[in-house]
Amino acid sequence: MRKVYTIGETVLDIIFKDLKPVAAKTGGAMVNTTISLGRLKVPVSLLTEYGNDQVGTIIDNFLKDNGVSTEYIQRYDDGKSSISMAFLDDKNNAQYSFYKNYPAKRLNFKMPPVAENDVVLFGSYYGMADEVRESVINFIHYAREHKAIIVYDPNYRKAHEFELEKMRPNILENMSLAHIVRGSDEDFSFIFNSQTPEEAYNKVKTLCPNLIVTANQKGIYVFSGSVSKKYPVETIQPVSTVGAGDTFNAGIVYSLLKQDVRLEGVNNITENQWDGIVKTATAFATHVCLSYDNYISKEFAQKFQ
């Protein structure tokens, strides 16, 4: 059976509304995606790091309870598990503050047995940060050598805007290693100063042939060698958008597996296949926006199994 591997930061998200805490959830972009996939009974492993502390134990138990393999996770004593504060505005979009205390030796894991046509997802700040760059990029090269499908989400936060010029070479390298890039219009506005999804694709296509741009209520855009299409989105009143993009990514990965898209065909995905991918990913993201959870519910997941 094809497997999924995600590599990224793990945090405990404390969500605030009107400056009052309303929820605490295991989070981190790749974690959010991984939990949704675990609930869908996809064989998924997370490559990450967190402490041997109470927060780390909460995270560890939650991952295992949701079917996520923790075999490739580093737990450390010299440091603390990371915490993220997510402050929701009047439209329930989030601004973040991060609190981190990592050990000197980072992301020390054994290499998993990635096989041909497995799917690997990476991204966010963790996918470009110098502190873990060597481990992350070595794993992505290893996965490509083993003929996995690589999906990359830059997920570039405004909080790191001041570091963009330093990070840009890593972002571009990540895109060049991916078979599919998925990002928001805000991501590409930061990275490329692009004003439209089409402008973003003109930049990305020299690095990666397949791009999905999510543009909030303006729609979803897919660009590939043979497809250029805009998809409308339903207008909703979100409760929280914290896990929306991450859950959209879970829908992409899940659809690649369900439609049996393999490496040899990833650059020739048909319009009908893209329609199915976007439909599923949008359903996942919409569902997650209607609660404080960062991942699809177990009840929702059962509808897709």
Side-chain angles (χ1 to χ4, degrees), residues 67-220:
V68 177
S69 171
T70 59
E71 183 177 357
Y72 309 104
I73 291 174
Q74 175 194 1
R75 295 196 69 174
Y76 50 79
D77 295 305
D78 184 17
K80 298 292 184 182
S81 299
S82 296
I83 293 175
S84 164
M85 306 287 194
F87 297 92
L88 303 180
D89 62 18
D90 56 355
K91 295 182 180 179
N92 290 319
N93 294 313
Q95 296 292 325
Y96 296 87
S97 294
F98 297 94
Y99 300 85
K100 304 175 183 181
N101 181 14
Y102 283 116
K105 189 170 179 59
R106 300 282 306 277
L107 201 57
N108 183 27
F109 59 85
K110 64 179 180 179
M111 206 66 82
V114 178
E116 185 173 355
N117 297 311
D118 286 347
V119 180
V120 170
L121 174 70
F122 77 119
S124 296
Y125 186 78
Y126 207 78
M128 62 192 82
D130 289 339
E131 297 84 355
V132 292
R133 182 66 181 170
E134 184 177 358
S135 294
V136 170
I137 210 67
N138 284 347
F139 173 65
I140 299 304
H141 279 291
Y142 167 85
R144 278 190 65 98
E145 290 166 4
H146 286 76
K147 300 182 179 180
I149 296 173
I150 312 296
V151 181
Y152 174 60
D153 175 8
N155 196 17
Y156 203 87
R157 302 289 189 195
K158 186 174 179 61
H160 297 291
E161 190 173 7
F162 72 98
E163 295 183 274
L164 178 59
E165 291 311 310
K166 183 181 76 171
M167 294 295 181
R168 194 190 307 275
N170 290 350
I171 296 171
L172 299 182
E173 182 181 12
N174 291 345
M175 290 182 179
S176 72
L177 293 171
H179 300 103
I180 298 174
V181 172
R182 198 292 300 178
S184 69
D185 56 342
E186 186 177 18
D187 290 333
F188 299 115
S189 176
F190 283 138
I191 297 167
F192 296 123
N193 195 30
S194 59
Q195 303 304 308
T196 66
E198 290 79 9
E199 287 183 22
Y201 183 57
N202 283 336
K203 299 288 187 178
V204 173
K205 69 181 180 181
T206 62
L207 304 165
C208 176
N210 301 298
L211 174 67
I212 304 172
V213 180
T214 50
N216 207 317
Q217 293 301 312
K218 291 180 285 187
I220 297 160

Side-chain angles (χ1 to χ4, degrees), residues 14-22 85-90 95:
I14 302 176
I15 302 171
F16 289 79
K17 180 69 174 178
D18 299 325
L19 299 181
K20 296 179 181 179
V22 294
M85 306 287 194
F87 297 92
L88 303 180
D89 62 18
D90 56 355
Q95 296 292 325

